[in-house]
């Protein structure tokens, strides 16, 4: 196992450095590009923290839904093919629940402030 | 053409060639540079009067190889003239570049004062009155877009709703990456394809960024680069797509207006009664389309065409389309 700092701690430190020390020195297009780069670092930071738990949950739901095993990509390909071929009804509640959980998981990494994510979370929690 | 100094001399000559009474140009400034197009602003003295102008031109070289559906800049200029004739507010096209100008493909138009940045339009006090009237105005404008004369424009594809869905499906499937929500959305769209209705001009990218807005409302519609003849209601759906509300998700039209106002404007503009179900179809399509646009942009970087943190990062915004699809059709 790797010693501290963890990858998450390292990327967090770099992100904070970019935010507090680099970005204020830049203007115009470079400032904008730097903001995007910082955003990418924050995505990686959240992904390192959240994805082990999210992926384990996703794997569990997919195996339940599909009745097969495989890695996450295999299972996702399998599910996508089944939807494309019409083998799963698109209003199947278990399917929709899985897709909502999975997509909200992605949003919690990629952009937890996205308005649609907040709306979907509200509706899903209240059901 | 390589340096802006060279470019200033060439543009100055072009302006004098095409615009009677024009003497030199000044203050040439690059405003934006996308992957395939550039926008420049400059001043010209025309008959002793200072005029601010915009040059829109291709960057030359290979066109972006990833799924370009843009019409040529000459066609874009022609469409803006047709739009103007139909009563759609657009910048006035001054002239189209030719080979002798040695500036590549492009055209020069009038500069319309106003704002295109959504966050400013949605937040600044000076646009408060505009925000209240813009949904109605956009409806009126879209009704006029649908009346545009499209005759003799070979580049303008005729695309039925089914063909529009298939076009995007082919792009998505070429990525060979599984997105279960996207698959679900295609199934939904196939089952809900609109029938009947007229084929007419559609702007194709009717949203924030492509409208110039002043305190008095919408001043001009720009970027006529991915137009087609199809279901004109598509534009109404796209401007309602959540990603173009910039966080103000309870105001469906661009984060500032209501569907009721948009539809009322469309009717007042002569477009006829709007079927909300048809707009809903195109809004669902819009969410899916946004997801696939994000996948396309990220591939420009991943396939090595353009090295860009901005392009590669936008791939992660495909989830916005998925989230919005689930909000619309996942109940």
């Amino acid at each position: 196992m790797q010693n501290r700092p963890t990858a998450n701690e390292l990327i967090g430190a770099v992100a904070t450095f970019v935010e507090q020390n680099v970005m204020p020195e830049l203007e115009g297009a470079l400032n904008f590009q730097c903001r995007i780069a910082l955003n990418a670092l924050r995505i990686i930071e959240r992904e390192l923290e959240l994805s082990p738990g999210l992926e384990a949950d996703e794997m569990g739901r997919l195996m339940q839904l599909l009745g097969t095993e495989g890695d996450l990509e295999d299972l996702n390909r399998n599910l996508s093919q089944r939807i494309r071929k019409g083998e799963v009804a698109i209003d199947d509640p278990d399917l929709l629940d899985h897709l909502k959980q999975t997509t909200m998981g992605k949003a919690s990494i990629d952009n937890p402030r996205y308005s649609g994510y907040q709306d979907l979370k509200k509706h899903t929690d209240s059901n | 053409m390589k340096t802006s100094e060279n470019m200033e001399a060439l543009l100055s000559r072009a302006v004098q060639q095409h615009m009677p009474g024009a003497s030199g140009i000044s203050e040439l400034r690059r405003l934006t540079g996308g992957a395939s197009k550039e926008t420049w602003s400059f001043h010209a003295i025309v008959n002793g009067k200072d005029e601010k102008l915009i040059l829109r031109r291709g960057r030359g070289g290979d066109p972006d190889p990833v799924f370009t559906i843009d019409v040529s800049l000459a066609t874009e200029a022609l469409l803006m003239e047709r739009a103007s004739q139909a009563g759609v507010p657009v910048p006035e096209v001054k002239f189209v570049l030719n080979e002798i100008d040695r500036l590549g493909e492009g055209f020069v138009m009038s500069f319309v004062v106003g704002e295109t940045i959504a966050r400013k339009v949605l937040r600044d006090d000076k646009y408060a009155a505009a925000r209240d009237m813009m949904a109605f105005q956009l409806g009126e404008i879209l009704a006029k877009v649908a009346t545009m004369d499209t005759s003799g424009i070979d580049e303008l594809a005729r695309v039925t709703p089914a063909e529009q869905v298939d076009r995007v499906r082919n792009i998505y499937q070429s990525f060979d990456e599984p997105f279960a929500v996207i698959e679900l959305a295609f199934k939904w769209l196939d089952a809900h394809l609109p029938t009947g209705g007229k084929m007419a001009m559609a702007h194709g990218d009717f949203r924030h960024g492509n409208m110039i807005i002043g305190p008095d409302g919408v001043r001009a519609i720009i970027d006529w680069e991915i137009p087609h003849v199809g279901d004109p209601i598509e534009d109404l759906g796209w401007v309602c797509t959540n990603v173009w509300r910039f966080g103000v998700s309870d105001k469906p039209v661009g984060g500032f207006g209501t569907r009721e106002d948009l539809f009322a404007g469309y009717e007042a503009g002569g477009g006829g009664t709007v079927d909300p179900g048809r707009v809903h179809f195109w809004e669902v399509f819009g969410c899916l389309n946004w997801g696939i646009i994000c996948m396309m942009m990220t591939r420009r970087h991943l396939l090595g065409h353009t090295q860009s943190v901005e392009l590669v990062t936008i791939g992660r915004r495909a989830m916005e389309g998925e989230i919005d699809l689930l909000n619309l059709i996942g109940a």
Side-chain angles (χ1 to χ4, degrees), chain B residues 83-162:
Chain B
S84 176
Q85 287 157 13
V88 177
V90 284
E92 185 193 347
V93 175
K94 299 289 186 182
F95 65 90
V96 176
L97 295 173
N98 61 29
E99 272 179 33
I100 301 160
D101 297 323
R102 288 171 48 218
L103 281 160
E105 211 203 339
F107 61 92
V108 168
M109 60 185 147
S110 63
F111 174 82
V112 176
V113 181
E115 188 55 73
T116 56
I117 298 170
R119 290 181 196 283
K120 292 190 183 166
V121 172
L122 296 184
R123 279 173 205 168
D124 287 5
D125 287 345
K126 69 189 274 203
Y127 301 110
R131 286 194 289 271
D132 286 341
M133 57 181 145
M134 280 189 321
F136 188 90
Q137 288 181 331
L138 292 177
E140 283 185 302
I141 288 169
L142 282 176
K144 289 174 186 159
V145 169
T147 68
M148 278 169 60
D149 174 15
T150 58
S151 59
I153 307 180
D154 297 341
E155 274 191 277
L156 210 50
R158 285 180 66 86
V159 190
T160 64

Side-chain angles (χ1 to χ4, degrees), chain A:
Chain A
M1 101 179 209
Q2 186 53 271
N3 297 101
R4 291 185 73 183
T6 63
N8 202 2
E9 287 164 340
L10 273 174
I11 206 85
V14 174
T16 301
F17 165 71
V18 169
E19 184 170 32
Q20 295 181 355
N21 302 91
V22 181
M23 215 164 69
E25 300 295 321
L26 302 174
E27 286 176 6
L30 266 183
N31 182 282
F32 176 71
Q33 295 295 332
C34 188
R35 183 182 299 278
I36 290 166
L38 171 64
N39 189 32
L41 293 173
R42 294 296 186 200
I43 291 173
I44 299 166
E45 192 182 5
R46 287 189 294 268
E47 183 162 326
L48 287 169
E49 184 192 332
L50 299 173
S51 84
L54 289 170
E55 291 197 346
D57 292 349
E58 183 181 354
M59 178 83 103
R61 286 193 306 271
L62 281 167
M63 291 196 304
Q64 179 81 27
L65 206 56
L66 298 167
T68 58
E69 293 187 3
D71 64 24
L72 259 186
E73 182 169 349
D74 290 341
L75 293 169
N76 271 304
R77 281 189 184 279
N78 186 330
L79 178 63
S80 291
Q81 280 303 321
R82 286 196 199 185
I83 297 170
R84 192 181 295 186
K85 289 180 184 158
E87 294 168 6
V88 201
I90 62 170
D91 56 357
D92 181 294
D94 290 338
L95 172 68
L96 289 173
D97 176 66
H98 161 71
L99 295 178
K100 285 178 191 171
Q101 297 303 330
T102 306
T103 310
M104 287 193 293
K106 286 205 263 188
S108 71
I109 289 170
D110 294 332
N111 182 6
R113 290 188 304 181
Y114 184 60
S115 66
Y117 168 54
Q118 297 300 333
D119 292 343
L120 185 59
K121 219 162 61 163
K122 234 181 293 163
H123 294 138
T124 310
D125 290 347
S126 63
N127 282 341

Side-chain angles (χ1 to χ4, degrees), chain B residues 13-297:
Chain B
R13 204 190 56 174
V15 165
Q16 290 172 71
Q17 286 287 327
H18 294 278
M19 296 175 68
S23 49
I25 68 158
S26 61
E27 293 178 63
L28 178 64
R29 231 176 251 130
R30 183 159 155 186
L31 300 181
T32 61
S36 57
K37 305 234 174 64
E38 295 173 348
T39 306
W40 300 73
S41 75
F42 63 97
H43 287 254
I45 304 295
V46 186
N47 295 320
K49 261 180 60 188
D50 183 88
E51 257 193 75
K52 189 166 181 186
L53 298 167
I54 292 288
L55 166 69
R56 185 159 160 78
R57 70 160 193 163
R59 290 185 62 184
D62 296 331
D64 196 307
V66 183
F67 310 106
T68 300
I69 53 167
D70 300 12
V71 295
S72 67
L73 283 152
T75 292
E76 196 177 328
L78 178 58
L79 281 167
M80 287 172 65
E81 285 166 355
R82 298 278 178 93
S84 176
Q85 287 157 13
V88 177
V90 284
E92 185 193 347
V93 175
K94 299 289 186 182
F95 65 90
V96 176
L97 295 173
N98 61 29
E99 272 179 33
I100 301 160
D101 297 323
R102 288 171 48 218
L103 281 160
E105 211 203 339
F107 61 92
V108 168
M109 60 185 147
S110 63
F111 174 82
V112 176
V113 181
E115 188 55 73
T116 56
I117 298 170
R119 290 181 196 283
K120 292 190 183 166
V121 172
L122 296 184
R123 279 173 205 168
D124 287 5
D125 287 345
K126 69 189 274 203
Y127 301 110
R131 286 194 289 271
D132 286 341
M133 57 181 145
M134 280 189 321
F136 188 90
Q137 288 181 331
L138 292 177
E140 283 185 302
I141 288 169
L142 282 176
K144 289 174 186 159
V145 169
T147 68
M148 278 169 60
D149 174 15
T150 58
S151 59
I153 307 180
D154 297 341
E155 274 191 277
L156 210 50
R158 285 180 66 86
V159 190
T160 64
E163 288 167 342
Q164 183 70 324
V165 172
D166 282 342
R167 181 183 69 77
V168 174
R169 185 183 349 243
N170 289 336
I171 296 171
Y172 161 72
Q173 290 188 357
S174 75
F175 299 145
D176 190 31
E177 193 182 355
F179 281 84
V181 177
I182 299 290
E183 298 287 349
L184 180 115
F186 276 120
K187 279 281 169 204
W188 188 95
L189 291 169
D190 290 341
H192 294 84
L193 281 172
T195 51
K198 61 182 175 188
M199 291 283 275
M201 176 74 198
H203 177 277
D205 201 9
F206 198 80
R207 55 152 175 102
H208 276 296
N210 292 342
M211 34 183 124
I212 300 175
I213 289 158
D216 51 341
V218 183
R219 289 179 175 171
I221 304 298
I222 56 173
D223 277 12
W224 296 75
E225 64 183 348
I226 51 169
H228 58 270
V229 173
D231 184 350
I233 302 301
E234 182 179 342
D235 284 338
L236 280 79
W238 188 228
V239 76
C240 290
T241 301
N242 187 48
V243 68
W244 303 123
R245 299 179 202 169
F246 290 86
V248 193
S249 55
D250 60 340
K251 299 269 176 62
V253 182
F256 50 76
T258 65
R259 290 191 185 86
E260 290 74 16
D261 282 354
L262 179 72
F263 300 171
Y266 195 78
E267 201 166 333
T273 310
V274 178
D275 170 9
R278 208 175 176 102
V279 180
H280 179 69
F281 173 88
W282 287 115
E283 191 178 327
V284 173
F285 175 83
C287 298
L288 176 135
N289 193 26
W290 172 247
I292 287 156
I293 288 169
C294 294
M295 298 176 205
M296 279 167 57
M297 302 242 247

